Amino acid sequence: MSIHARKPALALAILAITFGLRTEAQRVITSQYDNARTGTNLNETTLTPRNVNVQHLGKLFTLHVDGDVYAQPLFLAGVEIPGKGRHDMLFIATEHDSVYAFDAYGNPSSPLWQVSLLKDGLTTVPADDAQCPFIAPEIGITSTPVIDPDSGTLYVLARTKGRQVLFEHEYPQQLHALNVTTGQEKLGGPKEIDASVSGPGSSGGKLAFNPLRDNPRAAMLLSRGMVYLSWASACDVGPYHGWMMAYDAQTLQQKAVFNASPDGDDSGIWAGDTGPAADQAGDIFVATGNGRFDANKSGRDYGDTLLKLEGQSLKIKDYFAPFNVDALNAGDSDLGSGGPMLLPDQAGAQPHLAVVEGKGSTLYLVNRDHMGHWQPGSDSHAVQTIHLPNGVFGSMTYWNHYVYVLSDSDALRQFEVKEGKLSPKAASSNTFPGVSATPTVSANGSRDGVVWILRSKGWNSFDQAAALYAYDAADVGHELYTSEQNAGRDRAGLALRFNIPTVVNGHVYVGAKHEVDVYGLLPPGK
């Protein structure tokens, strides 16, 4: 569940009736299940380590869509669709700038509604225009959307290509607010993204948002009535900057803007398709990638830094920068290739901890209350550092006093959280070739945990099928299932980069090229 402020129980019940949402039902309304980005669904009672195996689990059906699916599918139970009855809904966003609402169990298999965000002559952005093959052949919706179940609103950020003005095309990026029951635009949307900050830029001492070069990759965030968006680049093609913007969730009015490199460049907020995190006080945590770091010299540039931003103003409250931040920048070893995860409150003197890892192969455990800024010579200002074989593109997952992490070309590793520190517990017997992936956990509270991993595609690797893996979350040395064990029945569509499976209500939803594959317990005899 998200951690933005709740409305009074009576008001929530009224809204639930109005929009047909059952307040007790399961839901996945944001990337990685919650705003702390723990990556765990604690309400899964169907799938367990006892039945997640090739004899009982398999691919049930495939939902076909018009573009590649990088965004994590979202889920709402008990939505009343006008003229079509009540359904558990799966929301899918594509790189063709379409949003689909399907019955989550394939009944019917056709969309309950579908909307295209390509209106008034807009098209998707060709990969050639972005000068980057990472998302190809077209760029549309990459960031995982976010849902406000109280108002029944799905927020989506879409990239588009518009008309030609003189010798250049426009590339508007737009924030949309869609009704979850119909897909219709709400709140006077869409809202075109536009921002500037003081700094050496296009004119008049202003640095302007560049809708072609500033590429949204990280998931969207909804916290305390604000929708947060963030940007990095495509393939480091400049000029680009790390931006974060806050919009009022009820009006779509822009409320705050932050730029991580106003006097330099880069410092993108990548996160490998994971999202900015928010704590219970409403503060926002993001990690930046390449770029100059000069905050230790009273500067304003925060390359390769874990930032704590005040939620309403997006002003910097605190930060952690590794001691070798300049070397990370010089070696393209972005800290911001990974997104932060906030641990549940811990016992002891440092109850509020964050964990983050980037391409530099070091996992950092940081005190969120006193992040330490930058210190020369060592990372003694971190609570703990752990060296891993390779870097991370994504984030970690937390369940039941364990942290799970998968770095490049490595095994899935399990660490125990004890007295505010991490210690190795177990590792999978297999390693994953190529790019790392973000794990997800399904569990019934503190019981029956399963770790799920979707094998990701390397930026320069050949096309291959996505592969779904499952491990016993109590000991990841025990592999439970892979979709390649019975490939003729269970093989998924072509893999994309950084995808996170969604596990909810006995089903696993796997985004792939032009489809979402759905796994669950097999009918008898199948």
Side-chain angles (χ1 to χ4, degrees):
M1 297 177 67
S2 69
I3 58 176
H4 60 276
R6 295 184 179 182
K7 298 186 177 183
L10 178 59
L12 180 57
I14 293 172
L15 283 166
I17 294 171
T18 301
F19 291 101
L21 308 180
R22 296 202 303 266
T23 58
E24 76 280 3
Q26 288 200 49
R27 60 192 192 183
V28 181
I29 59 177
T30 191
S31 172
Q32 304 152 271
Y33 302 100
D34 57 39
N35 285 0
R37 308 305 188 189
T38 62
T40 298
N41 175 9
L42 294 174
N43 300 300
E44 179 53 55
T45 59
T46 300
L47 301 176
T48 75
R50 296 175 295 282
N51 58 27
V52 174
N53 54 59
V54 72
Q55 289 77 34
H56 297 97
L57 184 83
K59 187 167 75 170
L60 302 178
F61 57 93
T62 295
L63 300 171
H64 296 281
V65 293
D66 63 5
D68 296 347
V69 181
Y70 286 85
Q72 186 176 359
L74 302 178
F75 177 97
L76 276 179
V79 181
E80 189 71 36
I81 305 299
K84 298 182 180 180
R86 186 180 291 269
H87 295 265
D88 288 358
M89 301 283 288
L90 189 76
F91 300 92
I92 300 170
T94 78
E95 293 293 345
H96 196 63
D97 277 326
S98 290
V99 180
Y100 292 79
F102 283 97
D103 179 275
Y105 317 121
N107 184 26
S109 59
S110 57
L112 296 169
W113 58 255
Q114 173 191 356
V115 295
S116 173
L117 306 183
L118 299 176
K119 303 183 186 304
D120 302 322
L122 296 175
T123 68
T124 55
V125 179
D128 287 346
D129 289 22
Q131 299 178 279
C132 179
F134 286 178
I135 301 175
E138 59 182 351
I139 307 169
I141 303 170
T142 305
S143 301
T144 298
V146 68
I147 295 173
D148 180 2
D150 296 350
S151 66
T153 307
L154 174 73
Y155 301 93
V156 183
L157 177 60
R159 291 197 63 178
T160 59
K161 181 177 181 178
R163 61 177 182 162
Q164 183 171 335
V165 178
L166 296 179
F167 301 105
E168 295 183 350
H169 279 274
E170 296 178 333
Y171 293 89
Q173 296 190 30
Q174 296 179 324
L175 173 61
H176 298 260
L178 306 180
N179 188 315
V180 296
T181 66
T182 64
Q184 293 179 343
E185 200 85 44
K186 298 177 60 177
L187 308 179
K191 180 76 170 182
E192 186 165 343
I193 305 300
D194 184 32
S196 64
V197 296
S198 63
S202 54
S203 63
K206 292 291 185 182
L207 176 64
F209 176 76
N210 185 328
L212 175 59
R213 296 295 171 223
D214 296 318
N215 182 50
R217 187 94 213 198
M220 299 171 65
L221 169 69
L222 175 65
S223 176
R224 297 196 168 206
M226 303 277 270
V227 177
Y228 297 91
L229 315 173
S230 57
W231 288 265
S233 80
C235 291
D236 284 326
V237 177
Y240 76 92
H241 297 265
W243 293 87
M244 174 162 274
M245 303 180 201
Y247 289 80
D248 189 299
Q250 298 302 315
T251 66
L252 300 188
Q253 294 301 304
Q254 188 182 87
K255 292 297 184 179
V257 174
F258 169 75
N259 188 293
S261 53
D263 300 319
D265 53 27
D266 301 3
S267 301
I269 300 167
W270 302 88
D273 285 9
T274 66
D279 65 13
Q280 292 184 353
D283 292 325
I284 312 300
F285 294 82
V286 293
T288 63
N290 296 334
R292 179 176 67 192
F293 172 80
D294 62 9
N296 60 316
K297 302 173 184 177
S298 301
R300 301 194 300 163
D301 296 327
Y302 288 87
D304 293 301
T305 305
L306 177 62
L307 296 167
K308 179 180 181 178
L309 306 176
E310 197 278 326
Q312 296 298 307
S313 66
L314 294 182
K315 294 184 182 300
I316 294 177
K317 293 183 68 173
D318 204 351
Y319 72 88
F320 168 84
F323 84 96
N324 60 341
V325 63
D326 291 338
L328 294 177
N329 179 38
D332 191 31
S333 297
D334 317 28
L335 179 65
S337 68
M341 179 183 69
L342 311 185
L343 295 182
D345 287 359
Q346 302 294 308
Q350 300 179 117
H352 303 136
L353 299 173
V355 60
V356 68
E357 184 191 355
K359 289 159 63 176
S361 304
T362 299
L363 184 152
Y364 303 91
L365 187 65
V366 177
N367 180 358
R368 301 190 331 247
D369 296 327
H370 300 284
M371 298 177 68
H373 292 195
W374 176 85
Q375 303 294 331
S378 75
D379 284 322
S380 59
H381 53 308
V383 174
Q384 186 181 10
T385 60
I386 297 175
H387 180 75
L388 293 173
N390 293 297
V392 157
F393 291 82
S395 191
M396 282 63 75
T397 297
Y398 174 89
W399 174 72
N400 204 28
H401 308 291
Y402 295 120
V403 168
Y404 308 88
V405 58
L406 177 62
S407 57
D408 278 2
S409 303
D410 193 22
L412 172 65
R413 297 183 181 271
Q414 178 181 2
F415 294 89
E416 185 175 11
V417 184
K418 189 174 182 180
E419 298 179 352
K421 295 289 185 70
L422 305 180
S423 58
K425 162 72 175 179
S428 63
S429 58
N430 67 303
T431 59
F432 288 77
V435 177
S436 66
T438 299
T440 191
V441 171
S442 63
N444 182 9
S446 61
R447 306 193 311 273
D448 293 335
V450 178
V451 184
W452 305 85
I453 289 278
L454 190 58
R455 185 178 66 196
S456 187
K457 180 182 184 299
W459 71 270
N460 59 350
S461 64
F462 295 107
D463 284 343
Q464 60 180 331
L468 180 66
Y469 290 75
Y471 300 86
D472 187 337
D475 181 356
V476 298
H478 180 202
E479 182 181 289
L480 302 173
Y481 168 84
T482 82
S483 56
E484 290 296 298
Q485 288 173 303
N486 187 342
R489 183 192 68 193
D490 294 347
R491 178 164 286 173
L494 292 178
L496 300 169
R497 298 184 75 203
F498 311 139
N499 291 52
I500 305 173
T502 297
V503 188
V504 60
N505 210 22
H507 292 73
V508 185
Y509 299 93
V510 171
K513 198 170 187 63
H514 279 251
E515 64 187 58
V516 169
D517 297 297
V518 184
Y519 295 78
L521 297 182
L522 298 166
K526 184 172 180 180

